Amino acid sequence: MNNNINAQTTKSEYLRRIEIIYANINDHLKDERKGLYLENIGKHENPYSYLWPLCALIQATNEMETLNPNTEMMKPVVSAINHYYSKDSPAPAYMSYINKSSRFYDDNQWIAIAYLDAYNRTKKEEYLSKSKEIYTWLLTGYDEKTGGGLYWKEDEKTSKNTCSNGPNILVSLELYKITKEKKYLDTGLLVYNWTNKHLRSKEGVFWDAISIKDGKIGFGTYTYNTGTMLQANVLLYEITGDKKYLKEAKFIATAAEKHFYKNSKLPDHYWFNAVLLRGYEALYQVEKDPQRLKFIVDDADRVWNNERDESNFLGREKTKSLLMQAGILEIYARLAKLNLTKS
């Protein structure tokens, strides 16, 4: 099979874009003195960023290190994330802000996913140990209300969301692949089965959440939720060899393109779309069909050509945010790594 797709953007062009975006982040969205990052350019709700944008940036910098193995692009982001660390009961985890604040299960999952990717690449023990610590805290967010699943927010247990269950599956399965400890696979399958039972649509994309109070479903659909479940199925296929998971992954991939790619564009949230790309990248590594990725490649070019201002910041919103810059940075880094275009 030809591993190229018809497109104009070469790896060197992606690398050029990456360099521009990364420089903008460091020049305009970082406080070098404090070693912290800003939420956006302009007026801020707080002096520094919430944790969520750093969840995006840590993954983006991991992908950049993959392209540039002798660099330490993750290091300043890890240092910033450490400012959000809390040892509060029932287990250590990261808060949503540097001052005492709520802890979100999904924020911590995104960090663990990036750290596990970094561990697989570098074998640095600190990435694995921190991921195991996060996993321990994540389990405190699981109970049998609504039949199982993890909450979204530690101090307001009002919903269980795909965004706090899909990535939990990924953390668990990656830990299993590394350690071969059965408890991780058991957790992954437990949460996988619950998420499919309660939050998967017949169409093959995933809904937002289920309410604890009345069991009502929040029927919103976001690219990142479907992305984590696409990736989860690929991982389960790789671990078990059971082709039902590969069949499901292909079904989800086809459904996601049909559902989200409208009028030749994806929804405007770059980081959500980066997480969707992770799922497609995982599937590509198994089935080697580059055509599945063509709509994402095309959308990434559309963003660069149509949603870039005179300072090379990306996004339709007036106030440019760290979250969006990090999201599109990850997309370009992953596409550079895949190098699917005919050059």
Side-chain angles (χ1 to χ4, degrees), residues 265-281:
K265 71 182 294 293
L266 283 168
D268 289 336
H269 203 299
Y270 303 152
W271 182 74
F272 284 0
N273 298 341
V275 179
L276 180 67
L277 173 55
R278 298 177 198 177
Y280 279 88
E281 182 183 340

Side-chain angles (χ1 to χ4, degrees), residues 55-184:
C55 300
L57 187 58
I58 194 63
Q59 189 72 54
T61 50
N62 177 71
E63 304 315 311
M64 292 174 68
E65 279 194 24
T66 303
L67 293 165
N68 304 277
N70 296 320
T71 60
E72 290 191 319
M73 295 176 178
M74 292 179 72
K75 189 174 181 179
V77 191
V78 171
S79 178
I81 287 171
N82 288 341
H83 286 269
Y84 297 72
Y85 187 66
S86 162
K87 292 184 177 180
D88 287 354
S89 180
Y94 295 93
M95 302 180 294
S96 57
Y97 193 65
I98 54 174
N99 300 332
K100 188 170 180 60
S101 51
S102 300
R103 300 193 294 190
F104 289 81
Y105 296 103
D106 61 331
D107 283 356
N108 283 263
Q109 290 157 357
W110 305 122
I111 292 168
I113 288 166
Y115 284 179
L116 288 166
D117 286 350
Y119 174 78
N120 285 328
R121 179 172 52 81
T122 68
K123 303 307 178 190
K124 291 181 179 178
E125 189 62 33
E126 59 264 34
Y127 289 130
L128 180 57
S129 62
K130 189 56 70 173
S131 299
K132 288 179 176 179
E133 181 181 66
I134 290 170
Y135 170 88
T136 297
W137 176 71
L138 293 175
L139 291 188
T140 69
Y142 181 95
D143 67 22
E144 292 300 325
K145 291 181 181 178
T146 72
L150 281 86
Y151 292 98
W152 177 49
K153 189 177 179 182
E154 183 180 41
D155 56 353
E156 291 180 15
K157 291 184 167 67
T158 57
S159 66
K160 293 181 176 180
N161 299 45
T162 303
C163 75
S164 54
N165 284 275
N168 181 270
I169 302 166
L170 300 180
V171 173
S172 303
L173 296 181
E174 286 292 352
L175 282 169
Y176 175 75
K177 286 179 70 177
I178 293 165
T179 68
K180 295 298 185 285
E181 292 182 38
K182 186 174 179 291
K183 67 179 182 180
Y184 296 123

